[in-house]
Amino acid sequence: MKNILIPTDFSVNAWKATVFAFRLFENELCNFYFLNACKPEFYTPDINGHSLSQAKEDNKALMGKLLKEVAIVNKNPHHRFKSLILESWLNDAITEIQKDIIFDLIIMGTKGENEPDDKIFGTNSMNVVETVEHMPVLLIPDQSVYVPEVKKEMVLATRFDKSFSIAEINFLIDMAKKFKASIRILYIQDTDNLSDDQETRKEELHEYFKDISHSFHTLTDIEVAKGIHSFIQSRGSDILVLNHKKRGFIKTLFSKSLLKELGRKPQIPTIFMPTNL
């Protein structure tokens, strides 16, 4: 049975990510854990007259409402639902509950209710991506809808700089099957040729994905972040997978200036592979 963690701030975006998760895993036995993190610094009477204890009571009521809504829309006998409310920043809360529960995946919206429209990822989603080391994270844009019967394309952006573990490969194959997706392995070339180690890792991926439709693609003379976006946009790809989470790179990949230059914001789910899986 899979354990899926769904952080929620009870926003519309969080609800859309929840529905997406239900459909993605509709044929599997799953425990869905809904996590709400109350940040103590935000609930001091000096700031807004709203105490932490009152905020916790409000969130308990919202969590109860959420579970009732879930019970209405999801009657799948394979799915079970649990709730968690912690006094913590979200990424710290996830680190804490990881000590007791092994999660297979985190699924959340790209941003919360009050995030500005011109931001791709909100503060919480970026903090989770950058700090959670042992779980893959799937971020769902608010306009994404899971359509199971349509074949899709998953772009795995990699530098061939690390070997994938068996757990990572199994996860990627599982995701490809769930999305009914081919895997397009994209390398942005920054040297004349692949090193021997890179060639070995490329061959490893070819062998790992032998039973999955896949292909290798190389772009040259283009910045990595711009190359990834250009590749996705030119092909109309459906899912992006990033296998490294260096803070500077993620901020560059989704920077306002780059997205403005490219002309439109990406609206596809993004999977961030863990640092250690």
Side-chain angles (χ1 to χ4, degrees):
M1 177 174 285
K2 282 188 169 60
N3 290 324
I4 309 299
L5 181 63
I6 304 180
T8 181
D9 58 358
F10 311 113
S11 65
V12 173
N13 289 345
W15 176 252
K16 289 180 178 179
T18 298
V19 174
F20 193 103
F22 290 162
R23 299 205 66 189
L24 185 63
F25 288 92
E26 64 182 353
N27 296 318
E28 290 203 48
L29 293 169
C30 291
N31 290 318
F32 291 97
Y33 289 80
F34 296 99
L35 170 64
N36 175 258
C38 293
K39 299 176 282 292
E41 293 89 336
F42 282 5
Y43 296 108
T44 57
D46 290 342
I47 294 176
N48 55 20
H50 201 58
S51 67
L52 176 61
S53 60
Q54 182 60 52
K56 287 172 62 179
E57 290 302 314
D58 292 345
N59 285 357
K60 286 180 182 178
L62 289 170
M63 185 66 80
K65 180 181 178 182
L66 172 63
L67 293 177
K68 289 179 181 178
E69 292 173 345
V70 164
I72 292 172
V73 302
N74 188 338
K75 300 184 183 300
N76 191 327
H78 301 307
H79 292 172
R80 299 175 183 174
F81 313 106
K82 304 176 186 294
S83 63
L84 300 163
I85 297 179
L86 275 70
E87 294 180 32
S88 177
W89 294 95
L90 179 57
N91 49 311
D92 293 334
I94 293 173
T95 298
E96 184 64 27
I97 61 179
Q98 271 186 286
K99 297 175 183 177
D100 300 314
I101 305 168
I102 298 176
F103 292 100
D104 297 278
L105 178 65
I106 300 173
I107 300 180
M108 61 188 297
T110 51
K111 57 186 179 180
E113 191 74 67
N114 299 317
E115 300 284 354
D117 290 339
D118 62 349
K119 289 188 71 173
I120 300 300
F121 294 149
T123 302
N124 274 336
S125 59
M126 273 294 89
N127 284 341
V128 170
V129 165
E130 292 177 343
T131 60
V132 174
E133 296 184 345
H134 301 284
M135 285 183 286
V137 180
L138 171 57
L139 297 187
I140 308 296
D142 58 359
Q143 296 182 18
S144 291
V145 178
Y146 179 66
V147 184
E149 58 273 8
V150 175
K151 291 185 177 180
K152 302 171 186 66
E153 182 171 278
M154 177 186 294
V155 176
L156 170 59
T158 180
R159 297 172 297 182
F160 301 119
D161 60 343
K162 55 165 283 202
S163 292
F164 285 83
S165 69
I166 295 301
E168 289 175 307
I169 293 297
N170 288 339
F171 171 79
L172 289 172
I173 290 174
D174 184 47
M175 286 292 103
K177 289 179 178 178
K178 280 183 173 54
F179 281 108
K180 295 183 174 62
S182 301
I183 300 177
R184 307 304 175 203
I185 301 153
L186 174 64
Y187 172 65
I188 311 296
Q189 185 168 308
D190 55 2
T191 58
D192 291 338
N193 296 294
L194 293 177
S195 67
D196 290 343
D197 286 342
Q198 287 176 308
E199 287 285 2
T200 297
R201 291 167 189 138
K202 181 177 179 180
E203 288 301 316
E204 286 176 350
L205 286 178
H206 180 58
E207 179 63 24
Y208 284 141
F209 295 140
K210 62 184 179 182
D211 296 324
I212 298 288
S213 175
H214 69 280
S215 56
F216 292 88
H217 304 263
T218 300
L219 295 182
T220 59
D221 300 321
I222 189 170
E223 295 175 0
V224 174
K226 188 181 296 186
I228 290 173
H229 284 296
S230 298
F231 185 82
I232 290 171
Q233 291 183 8
S234 67
R235 299 176 61 89
S237 305
D238 304 283
I239 307 105
L240 172 63
V241 181
L242 298 173
N243 80 317
H244 55 95
K245 303 191 302 183
K246 286 188 176 180
R247 187 164 302 185
F249 172 73
I250 293 174
K251 288 184 177 179
T252 299
L253 183 61
F254 297 103
S255 68
K256 291 181 183 179
S257 58
L258 176 59
L259 298 174
K260 182 178 180 180
E261 179 183 347
L262 294 172
R264 68 183 180 92
K265 297 187 295 185
Q267 288 292 336
I268 65 173
T270 302
I271 299 172
F272 294 87
M273 298 298 290
T275 304
N276 300 294
L277 180 60

